[in-house]
Amino acid sequence: MSRKLFTSESVTSGHPDKLCDYISDKILDSILEKDPNAHVACEVTASMGLIHVMGEINTDCYVDINKIVREVVTSVGYTSSDSGLDGNTCGVIVSINSQSGDINMGVCESLENKNGDTSPESQIGAGDQGMMFGYACNETPELMPMPICLAHKLAKKLEEVRKNNILNYLRPDGKTQVTVEYHDNIPKRVHNIIVSAQHSDNINLEQIKSDIKKYVINTVIDKNLIDENTEIFINPTGRFVIGGPMGDTGLTGRKIIVDTYGGYACHGGGAFSGKDPTKVDRSGAYAARYVAKNIVKSGVCDRCEVQIAYSIGVSRPVSIMINTFGTCKYKNLTDEKLSDIVQEIFDLRVSSIIKNFDLRRPIYSQLSSYGHMGREDLNVPWEKIDKTEIIQKYIKNIVQE
């Protein structure tokens, strides 16, 4: 029996980086609500009472960015300098330019379109080059790795008990981390848990430890996963009063591993937040998750990683790779053959992804915290498992050859 430990982390929406992601996506949503065809690349930094909004945006509509920033900051819980930031009084700087014309012409008219393919599905070119990864496994009902699932659930619960005044001394900033022990690649137990929660200055550490264990950890982690050897660390430094942008500068796109699979799978490097769906960093990663999830759900394998690569200005992927990590259930079904099947079943042109997932809607700010993948609670289209039957039919034909 092989034994290994794997660790993933999550953060609350009040973490400085996640606050920036939230602002970026809220600006994106506000623009898409008025102009679904807008091209948006919006990034934010937050530090010491100052929010700086930057980026490139092409749109005919107007949104009040200053107002959006303040609404997001206060909704997260930063309403006084004691918590690390006051959304009512913080400084807001806006530095927005239009999208480069060199990029825009490749997005608006793909290489295929210029070469005579006038179909609507080939009209739009990718907004950048790059590679995106999708992943799925049968460790959890969401077909996500267990460590990141548990870390997200702990972080969400930490925010919930704060906002519902169950633990009214908590402040917006917080982090969680979970290490899972695997036996022969099967999760067996939780090895350790770390929760770091920002708090007011008038509460002692022992009370914090007792409350978080009772109201957060014990309500989230299955008791069968915890044993007498599971280590639990709560605010291990002993104090977490200074938090938010006062304690650490925030930046859009700095929690890309939290946004995806917790490090359990590869990552192409591109961030999601603040980007409209012509940016394949976002839409391509959603499509890759969709493919991987449907393959695992169809029973082909226990684990599946999908890589899709694009070229700027080109609608179709320049490469597709499938890796089942030796867990495929069919002897004569290679990863290469599975890749060919994916290209037959899934239309991964940029326009098709946008259309099939209806990505020009203002749906993104709700995804800015607690992961973009495995979000069945939000009914996002890339979590659908509607291709399993056709995958099984293709597999059956290959097996019978």
Side-chain angles (χ1 to χ4, degrees), residues 134-136 143 261 284-298 300-301 304-308 310 320-322 338-339 341-343 345-348 353 357 381-388 391:
Y135 182 81
L143 301 187
Y261 308 100
Y286 293 165
R289 162 64 178 172
Y290 176 62
V291 173
K293 186 175 183 180
N294 274 272
I295 289 174
V296 171
K297 188 64 177 180
S298 69
V300 172
C301 55
C304 181
E305 184 175 79
V306 177
Q307 185 200 57
I308 309 173
Y310 289 91
I320 298 172
M321 184 275 294
I322 306 293
L338 192 53
S339 178
I341 291 172
V342 165
Q343 295 182 66
I345 296 174
F346 297 89
D347 188 347
L348 297 174
I353 295 171
F357 290 167
W382 52 93
E383 293 298 323
K384 291 181 179 178
I385 45 173
D386 54 358
K387 296 291 187 181
T388 56
I391 290 173

Side-chain angles (χ1 to χ4, degrees), residues 33-264:
E33 192 172 4
K34 296 181 177 182
D35 180 8
N37 294 307
H39 292 164
V40 180
C42 177
E43 299 183 52
V44 175
T45 61
S47 179
M48 295 296 293
L50 180 65
I51 306 291
H52 189 180
V53 181
M54 305 160 283
E56 299 79 43
I57 299 176
N58 278 11
T59 183
D60 294 328
C61 76
Y62 170 78
V63 298
D64 190 338
I65 292 178
N66 191 296
K67 181 180 179 182
I68 293 168
V69 169
R70 298 187 186 283
E71 287 177 347
V72 169
V73 173
T74 55
S75 71
V76 167
Y78 288 115
T79 56
S80 73
S81 57
D82 291 342
S83 62
L85 186 67
D86 187 345
N88 299 300
T89 61
C90 67
V92 179
I93 299 175
V94 180
S95 306
I96 297 294
N97 200 357
S98 59
Q99 186 181 63
S100 161
D102 294 346
I103 296 174
N104 191 63
M105 66 180 182
V107 175
C108 294
E109 185 182 13
S110 71
L111 181 65
E112 293 94 329
N113 205 237
K114 293 172 184 175
N115 289 337
D117 183 353
T118 58
S119 63
E121 293 79 11
S122 297
Q123 182 180 356
I124 295 176
D128 202 352
Q129 70 177 46
M131 62 285 187
M132 299 82 221
F133 287 89
Y135 182 81
C137 62
N138 57 13
E139 293 180 13
T140 62
E142 302 91 344
L143 301 187
M144 289 284 288
M146 183 177 286
I148 189 64
C149 272
L150 295 180
H152 281 325
K153 289 176 180 179
L154 286 171
K156 285 184 74 174
K157 180 60 71 170
L158 190 62
E159 181 159 356
E160 180 184 310
V161 298
R162 173 180 65 87
K163 289 192 169 183
N164 291 339
N165 283 321
I166 295 171
L167 302 179
N168 59 11
Y169 57 79
L170 292 181
R171 298 295 179 257
D173 199 354
K175 301 182 76 172
T176 62
Q177 185 171 294
V178 177
T179 299
V180 173
E181 182 177 320
Y182 287 79
H183 296 173
D184 292 335
N185 292 317
I186 298 173
K188 290 296 183 181
R189 59 182 292 272
V190 171
H191 183 73
N192 61 58
I193 299 167
I194 305 172
V195 178
S196 296
Q198 186 189 11
H199 57 87
S200 65
D201 201 12
N202 59 356
I203 191 77
N204 65 71
L205 180 59
E206 292 308 312
Q207 184 68 53
I208 295 170
K209 288 182 175 180
S210 175
D211 287 344
I212 288 180
K213 189 171 183 181
K214 177 180 178 180
Y215 293 106
V216 178
I217 295 174
N218 290 348
T219 63
V220 168
I221 307 295
D222 186 335
K223 63 181 180 180
N224 294 317
L225 292 172
I226 297 179
D227 57 32
E228 65 277 6
N229 295 316
T230 299
E231 295 180 298
I232 297 177
F233 303 91
I234 298 172
N235 283 12
T237 68
R239 178 180 168 88
F240 188 3
V241 173
I242 299 172
M246 184 179 289
D248 187 15
T249 299
L251 176 65
T252 297
R254 198 156 53 184
K255 286 291 178 285
I256 56 176
I257 300 302
V258 173
D259 286 341
T260 51
Y261 308 100
Y264 206 89

Side-chain angles (χ1 to χ4, degrees), residues 341-377:
I341 291 172
V342 165
Q343 295 182 66
E344 288 284 334
I345 296 174
F346 297 89
D347 188 347
L348 297 174
R349 289 174 291 182
V350 180
S351 294
S352 297
I353 295 171
I354 293 173
K355 178 182 177 182
N356 293 337
F357 290 167
D358 195 11
L359 293 181
R360 295 194 185 276
R361 298 173 292 147
I363 61 172
Y364 300 108
S365 58
Q366 64 182 341
L367 290 160
S368 59
S369 296
Y370 313 117
H372 293 244
M373 313 304 174
R375 297 304 301 271
E376 295 180 354
D377 57 321

Side-chain angles (χ1 to χ4, degrees), residues 295 298-300 328-334 337-338 341 345 387-401:
I295 289 174
S298 69
V300 172
C328 185
K329 308 293 178 64
Y330 304 95
K331 290 183 179 180
N332 62 337
L333 180 60
T334 64
K337 286 183 179 180
L338 192 53
I341 291 172
I345 296 174
K387 296 291 187 181
T388 56
E389 290 187 8
I390 189 170
I391 290 173
Q392 289 166 349
K393 288 180 181 178
Y394 269 79
I395 300 303
K396 185 177 180 180
N397 290 336
I398 288 179
V399 170
Q400 291 176 346
E401 287 179 356

